[in-house]
Structures are given as structure tokens and as C-alpha cells.
Amino acid sequence: MDVTIPLSNLKRFTASLTCLSKIGKDLYISFDPFDGLTLSSLNEAKSAYAKFHFECGFFEKCLGLTMPTTATRQHDDEEDTEQWRYVCRVPVRSVHSILRPRKGVLSLRIRSEGHDDSGKHFGVNRKNKDDNKRNNANEKVPYSSRRRKRKSREEATRQENNDPKDKMMLTFEYCMERIPLPTANKQSTTAITATFTALHKIAVTDAHGITLSTSTYRKSRSEIIAPPKLWMRLLDPLKTQEVALTIDDALKVVTATSFHPSQEQGGEHNAVLAATRLNAVLKTETSTGVEEFDEYDYRNNRRGEKNDELEAEERMPEEVNERVILVFSIKEAKAMLHFCSQTNSAHHNDGDALSILSFHWGGRPIVIETDGDYFSAELVLATLHHGMISSSIGSRRE
């Protein structure tokens, strides 16, 4: 893997790492010279999954280990195509600490080095350039037996000590502009520009065979398309870890309510104690009309004839054609919305990328996704089952 991110896309790439650092501890990197680069992360509870995909056009340079031709790629089987893919795992905090804002950055180059568990080398291919140098050196200096013995001893020592030079690594190389120093001749107006590089290396783990996937039931999903700032205005006043988002299609109102564990159906065995704690907590509610959204598509024609035949976990709520209540985590949702607010897009007047909220009902995952020039992002969040939500949540007011 050898990609170069230009300055125009570096802020967007850094914002994706900031979002992933608030979701999981491990960062999964998958690179294909034809498909591009994919960054994904999963939290420990496996209730939040985020994925960012950057196409080849997103980068200034996008090269693989050995660039295959299109004809060769078409004749390869599905198992053979894995040889072109680079997959690794790395702590997301390590990468996020490197991709901090810097002054004078021109570009960022990310390269792979070392060998994976199967012995495949993922470094930059410099064989053609180095062969001539080795041949010329061998002609001048004979390769003696003493040198061969010394080299074999060094390789054996490196294998015994498990030298990190042979491990899989990622190299982050910043190309930065040098700030010109003040000169004695103050009348000189021409500044001498120069560049220097800052190199960082991180050891990574081979992640071949590990696949992160989710089931989102893409068919028959309701969708709400809106700028991320509108969603942030609904979620910012809430001070709880989870939110109960009520989408009432009959009243054409979307309400965000702070959700507490005591509001979970059956979460408290003592009814008196549960009522006391419910009255003691701070409850906050924000709402807006559906006319504030750019697009509002609520599926109110769901049929429940076969609802009794399904298991309890798959049954639809009785009022699914009128309203749904979605209880999910606020932290991960705000991280994705913050990424959308930092991503410029020409699809909206404010310049922010539009966020698409897709949902069914409580108990099925929701998806927050966005896209732009040569990139796409999605966040999948688990929701609380509608049968476990107290009836006091989302109660209609006359």
C-alpha cells in the first residue's frame, strides 16, 4: 500500500479518524489498489460500527504492492483477489495521535512495510532500482564467505529477538513546508521556500480473515435526510448517554428525549423505587417539525398479518405505521454528525454534507450515512427493542 493524501482532502481524512477514535479501540484498515482504502471500527459492546471508504480518486497517488491489470483482475477468482488486498489492525489512538493538525503540511503519504503472517512482503517495491546497485557493488567488492556468515548471523539474531523491522508496519510521512527564517536584509522580499518530511512508524497486526459486517435490512427502510446541524441541535441539550428518538408520522413531529435506565420496561422490580428515581432524574426534551428536514420518507404501509407467526424479537410494534421510538447511544451518533458538519459538500446551502438517517423500528439497527466526492461513510447503531421501552416514553400530548 502506498497512498498520498493531498492537502485538500487531509482535513476530511483526519476527521474520519477522529470519529473512529470515539467508537472503538481498534482500527481496521483494508486497502485494494482498485477499490481504494476502507477504515472501520467496532465498539466493545458490538452495538456501534462505523466504516469510511475512500476511493482511488480521493488520493493524489494510490498504488498497491504490484498493480494488476484489469484483464488479470477479471480472470482471478474470489480467493485469488485477496493477494491484492492489504488488511491490518492497529490501535486507533496510535494513528489519531499522529494525524493531529500541523502547520505547513503539503501532503501525507502512508506506506506499508514488513511481512504478514504468511511471509508476504508489503513494502515498497524497489527491486528494480536496487538490483543495479547490488550488481555494481558485487563487481567491485567480492562477496566473501566472511560477509555471508556475518549476514546469516544477523538474520538469525533478528529472528530470535523478533526484530520489529520484519513486522508489518505503517509509515506516515508528512511533507511540510519550511517556514523561512527572518534575514538580516529586511529589504529582500523574496522568501526561500523549502520542504522537509516528518516520518512516523507504527507496528500493525495482520487482520486477514477478520471481516466486520452488519445486517441493516436495507429494503423498506424509512429515511430522513437533513443537515447534521439540525440533528446536533436536537441532541446537544440532552445530558444522558442514550436518547429516545420518537418519530411521529401522524403528528409530523420528531422528538428527542433523554433516556434513563429506569425508563426501561422491567428494569426496576420495585415499582415505588422506580417511580421515585424516575421523578428524581433530569428529563430533557427537544422537538422539531418534519418540514425542517430536506427529505422525509416514512413507510406507513407496513402490514402485520404475519406478525403473530414471527418470534417476539422480530415482531413489529402495533403503532409502526403511525410512529416509532428509537433508543440508541448519543456518543457515537454525535461523532458521526460532527464528521458530517466538518465535511464540505456542494449538496446543501450551508456547505455541510447531508446526513441520511435510515430506520425501521425499535429493535432493528439504524444507519447514519453520508457521502461526497470520492468518499462515503456510514454508522450502524443498535436500538433497544420496542417491547422493552416504557409506555411513558413518547406519550402523545393533547
Side-chain angles (χ1 to χ4, degrees):
M1 180 180 71
D2 188 2
V3 297
T4 301
I5 306 172
L7 178 61
S8 57
N9 292 333
L10 187 57
K11 180 181 178 180
R12 185 175 301 169
F13 186 81
T14 305
S16 66
L17 265 298
T18 303
C19 177
L20 292 173
S21 64
K22 299 179 181 179
I23 294 176
K25 295 183 178 180
D26 293 331
L27 174 66
Y28 292 87
I29 302 175
S30 177
F31 173 76
D32 188 275
F34 282 90
D35 297 335
L37 181 65
T38 302
L39 307 177
S40 57
S41 183
L42 180 70
N43 65 346
E44 293 183 355
K46 296 181 176 58
S47 60
Y49 166 74
K51 181 179 69 173
F52 294 83
H53 179 69
F54 302 94
E55 301 177 4
C56 296
F58 182 85
F59 305 99
E60 182 179 345
K61 181 178 67 174
C62 184
L63 300 176
L65 211 157
T66 302
M67 289 297 294
T69 60
T70 306
T72 305
R73 188 65 178 265
Q74 292 178 353
H75 288 84
D76 289 341
D77 297 333
E78 294 182 359
E79 298 180 356
D80 295 336
T81 55
E82 291 296 326
Q83 64 179 330
W84 315 116
R85 187 176 295 275
Y86 175 84
V87 184
C88 69
R89 181 179 61 185
V90 61
V92 65
R93 289 185 178 181
S94 301
V95 181
H96 184 251
S97 61
I98 294 176
L99 299 178
R100 65 179 187 274
R102 302 168 186 253
K103 295 183 179 180
V105 176
L106 300 177
S107 63
L108 172 62
R109 182 184 181 187
I110 304 177
R111 294 183 291 114
S112 59
E113 295 183 0
H115 298 76
D116 62 357
D117 295 341
S118 61
K120 186 185 299 181
H121 180 66
F122 282 99
V124 180
N125 189 7
R126 298 179 179 176
K127 183 177 180 181
N128 297 331
K129 297 181 180 180
D130 296 339
D131 284 343
N132 297 329
K133 295 181 180 180
R134 293 194 185 96
N135 294 333
N136 296 333
N138 292 335
E139 292 178 359
K140 297 179 181 179
V141 181
Y143 196 65
S144 61
S145 60
R146 183 178 298 178
R147 291 180 58 190
R148 289 196 299 269
K149 292 179 181 179
R150 184 173 67 248
K151 185 177 180 180
S152 62
R153 287 196 301 268
E154 292 177 355
E155 292 179 355
T157 304
R158 188 163 59 246
Q159 292 178 0
E160 292 177 359
N161 298 334
N162 196 10
D163 195 346
K165 292 182 180 180
D166 289 338
K167 291 183 178 179
M168 292 180 65
M169 303 188 72
L170 281 179
T171 302
F172 297 83
E173 182 178 351
Y174 278 96
C175 180
M176 308 173 68
E177 183 180 1
R178 183 178 67 85
I179 301 175
L181 298 176
T183 58
N185 186 9
K186 297 182 180 180
Q187 297 179 356
S188 178
T189 57
T190 59
I192 300 175
T193 58
T195 58
F196 69 97
T197 58
L199 193 65
H200 305 274
K201 291 187 177 182
I202 300 178
V204 299
T205 306
D206 186 11
H208 276 90
I210 301 177
T211 304
L212 301 181
S213 61
T214 56
S215 179
T216 56
Y217 303 95
R218 293 187 176 274
K219 295 183 178 180
S220 68
R221 294 190 308 187
S222 301
E223 290 186 353
I224 297 178
I225 302 177
K229 293 181 180 179
L230 179 58
W231 290 114
M232 294 293 287
R233 286 198 296 266
L234 290 174
L235 299 179
D236 280 340
L238 308 182
K239 305 302 179 182
T240 54
Q241 296 181 356
E242 295 178 324
V243 57
L245 187 67
T246 304
I247 303 173
D248 198 322
D249 185 61
L251 300 179
K252 303 298 180 181
V253 175
V254 176
T255 305
T257 310
S258 55
F259 183 82
H260 301 273
S262 58
Q263 294 174 313
E264 183 177 344
Q265 188 71 24
E268 187 67 54
H269 299 286
N270 192 336
V272 178
L273 183 61
T276 303
R277 291 183 178 181
L278 184 61
N279 295 327
V281 296
L282 175 65
K283 293 177 288 185
T284 307
E285 180 178 294
T286 58
S287 61
T288 184
V290 297
E291 65 275 1
E292 298 293 332
F293 303 122
D294 288 19
E295 293 185 18
Y296 175 80
D297 182 16
Y298 188 90
R299 300 298 179 90
N300 55 4
N301 56 353
R302 304 183 188 276
R303 299 180 180 179
E305 292 86 355
K306 299 182 179 180
N307 206 23
D308 298 334
E309 301 177 1
L310 300 176
E311 298 181 359
E313 298 179 355
E314 296 294 334
R315 292 179 182 176
M316 296 183 298
E318 296 179 358
E319 300 180 350
V320 66
N321 291 327
E322 299 179 3
R323 65 169 182 167
V324 293
I325 302 177
L326 307 172
V327 178
F328 54 90
S329 175
I330 298 180
K331 176 184 175 182
E332 292 81 1
K334 292 179 68 175
M336 175 59 73
L337 294 174
H338 187 65
F339 167 80
C340 297
S341 62
Q342 290 183 337
T343 304
N344 296 328
S345 176
H347 300 291
H348 197 263
N349 297 331
D350 295 340
D352 299 338
L354 294 177
S355 57
I356 305 175
L357 174 64
S358 305
F359 59 92
H360 288 87
W361 54 79
R364 287 195 174 184
I366 64 172
V367 181
I368 302 176
E369 54 188 341
T370 185
D371 57 4
D373 296 335
Y374 301 108
F375 84 95
S376 61
E378 68 172 359
L379 171 66
V380 183
L381 290 174
T383 61
L384 187 65
H385 193 269
H386 59 86
M388 302 177 64
I389 303 175
S390 175
S391 58
S392 61
I393 297 295
S395 57
R396 295 179 178 175
R397 299 177 181 177
E398 301 297 339

